[in-house]
Amino acid sequence: MNVRDSEHLIAELNQQEPYQITDELSDADLIIINTCSVREKPVAKLFSEIGVFKKYKKPSAKIGVTGCTASHLGKEIIRRAPAVDFVLGARNVSKITKVINTKHAVEVDTNFDESSYNFAEYRTNSFKAMVNISIGCDKSCTFCIVPATRGDEVSIPSSLIISEITKSVALGAKEVMLLGQNVNNYGRRFSSSDEICNFTKLLQQISMIDGLERIRFTSPHPLHMDDEFIEEFASNPKICKQIHVPLQSGSTAILQKMKRGYTKENFINRCEKIRKLCPEATISTDIIVGFPDESDSDFEETMSVLNTVRFEQLFSFKYSARPHTEAMDFDNQIENSLAGERLTRLQTRHTQILDEIMDSQLGKIHRVYIDELKPNGKVSGRADDGKLFFIDGSEELLGRIIDVKVTRTSRGALDGEII
Ligand code: SAH
């Protein structure tokens, strides 16, 4: 979502005057740091980065801080780092051309509604398009700062989504990644239309777009994963068979304290339904360890879900107490060292599972969409189920969907040859 926000920032700036991206800090006239604030670490990193940029930038170059940390710290950023010229919160992206010309501008309104704003076009990779389908988040997960930085959840009108995807397909994209905090809650609220549409219907409409071959999305919420949606996921040939189902914890007691709205059993039931209707699907997840009050047996419940579902990708984090969240004030915060031990155990077990999955891939054939040129005569792309491939080849393979046989396996990516 942040990568897409960065593309929107560039698109809007280019409307005013053409910009070029540079890798050389000392060449830049404008430096934008687009921030996350989900955990504490990136926030600390922001201030050290501002220091580095201030030291090595051109004296006339402007520095802007955008994104979620901008939303929640606001003018405090300029107070702590006066070298910053402007602060622009997530959900205020369309105001970029305004703030770059106003010294010390701060625009961080989390009620600002960009759901029907027609952003200018810019893509870092023309072969695949990221498209927002909703903004904000209506959940009240007790660990999460996102609702405070991205505001209430509003769905983007389907006509706007369809026209954006159609445009990107005409410019060469065969794959779309639909983005939202809870994509399968799509249609819960539109800002002004009386449109009635849910995520399943949206997927059906998108899959009618000529020339679009692959649809991905992130993230669905386990609570909204109804049978109708899973059936569409399994049966629609344009929907890639990779799904991210964020678990957070395997303990029902902890899930309740997190206000996630599902139990361990509900979660496993949804994953089993996916596997039953679509055995080839890969399932990935997010897990937080060391949430307040997490006991050894709560953690064992998380390990048991990992062993049952055997997630192919795991994004795992130590719980980080965040401002504007309920859990920040919970008793029984867990010692950092204990959270660290649990994280290591979880990741070690996941690595074993991943090795087993990857080892079983040798000789298998996947349809891979080649979308990036790599150094040393290689190209890369993803299989329908999300596996990353490196293949010998050059530019003429870009934009092609081809059958590839796995010739070497590793944890991160597979080597393959075209058949
Ligand atoms: N809307 C998504 C969450 C997006 S944030 C969802 O409901 O799943 C991405 C991930 O960051 C979350 O899934 C969670 O695992 C992690 N995360 C969020 N807040 C966190 C916190 N306070 N500490 C540690 N990890 C956190």
Side-chain angles (χ1 to χ4, degrees), residues 47 294 350:
F47 288 98
E294 185 187 66
H350 174 253

Side-chain angles (χ1 to χ4, degrees), residues 128-144:
K128 47 189 181 183
M130 286 175 275
V131 173
N132 290 334
I133 66 163
S134 62
I135 59 174
C137 181
D138 264 3
K139 299 273 177 258
S140 41
C141 304
T142 54
F143 54 81
C144 191

Side-chain angles (χ1 to χ4, degrees), residues 175-336:
E175 180 176 303
V176 66
M177 168 68 92
L178 308 174
L179 300 170
Q181 290 298 328
N182 307 291
V183 284
N184 51 349
N185 202 24
Y186 179 79
R188 176 188 163 92
R189 184 191 306 121
F190 294 95
S191 70
S192 60
S193 73
D194 49 14
E195 179 173 357
I196 297 173
C197 188
N198 66 15
F199 189 51
T200 303
K201 292 204 177 67
L202 181 72
L203 288 170
Q204 287 164 348
Q205 283 182 41
I206 292 173
S207 58
M208 315 259 277
I209 296 174
D210 269 348
L212 180 71
E213 305 213 16
R214 291 183 158 200
I215 304 169
R216 298 186 193 274
F217 48 80
T218 197
S219 293
H221 191 291
L223 182 64
H224 303 296
M225 214 165 268
D226 54 31
D227 285 353
E228 187 201 35
F229 160 73
I230 298 177
E231 281 155 20
E232 184 66 28
F233 170 79
S235 63
N236 186 329
K238 286 197 181 179
I239 299 179
C240 290
K241 303 303 178 242
Q242 171 193 24
I243 189 160
H244 188 69
V245 196
L247 169 66
Q248 312 304 0
S249 170
S251 152
T252 298
I254 295 293
L255 287 169
Q256 247 166 17
K257 288 174 189 158
M258 289 176 162
K259 295 203 177 149
R260 289 290 289 176
Y262 53 86
T263 61
K264 175 188 181 186
E265 288 71 29
N266 298 149
F267 183 93
I268 292 176
N269 171 283
R270 295 296 76 193
C271 293
E272 281 172 351
K273 178 93 188 181
I274 294 169
R275 288 260 157 81
K276 184 161 169 246
L277 297 191
C278 191
E280 74 274 28
T282 59
I283 304 179
S284 59
T285 201
D286 291 347
I287 290 176
I288 298 174
V289 299
F291 185 78
D293 232 6
E294 185 187 66
S295 64
D296 286 343
S297 67
D298 289 319
F299 176 66
E300 293 309 324
E301 299 278 298
T302 300
M303 290 293 285
S304 100
V305 179
L306 172 64
N307 285 317
T308 305
V309 181
R310 294 172 65 84
F311 303 103
E312 180 151 332
Q313 269 195 76
L314 167 68
F315 301 91
S316 50
F317 317 98
K318 270 194 269 184
Y319 167 72
S320 165
R322 307 300 295 127
H324 310 292
T325 64
E326 270 186 69
M328 195 179 175
D329 300 319
F330 285 1
D331 292 337
N332 300 330
Q333 301 277 331
I334 302 296
E335 282 286 321
N336 188 41

Side-chain angles (χ1 to χ4, degrees), residues 121-134:
E121 181 72 25
Y122 177 86
R123 312 246 167 225
T124 32
N125 181 328
S126 61
F127 299 106
K128 47 189 181 183
M130 286 175 275
V131 173
N132 290 334
I133 66 163
S134 62

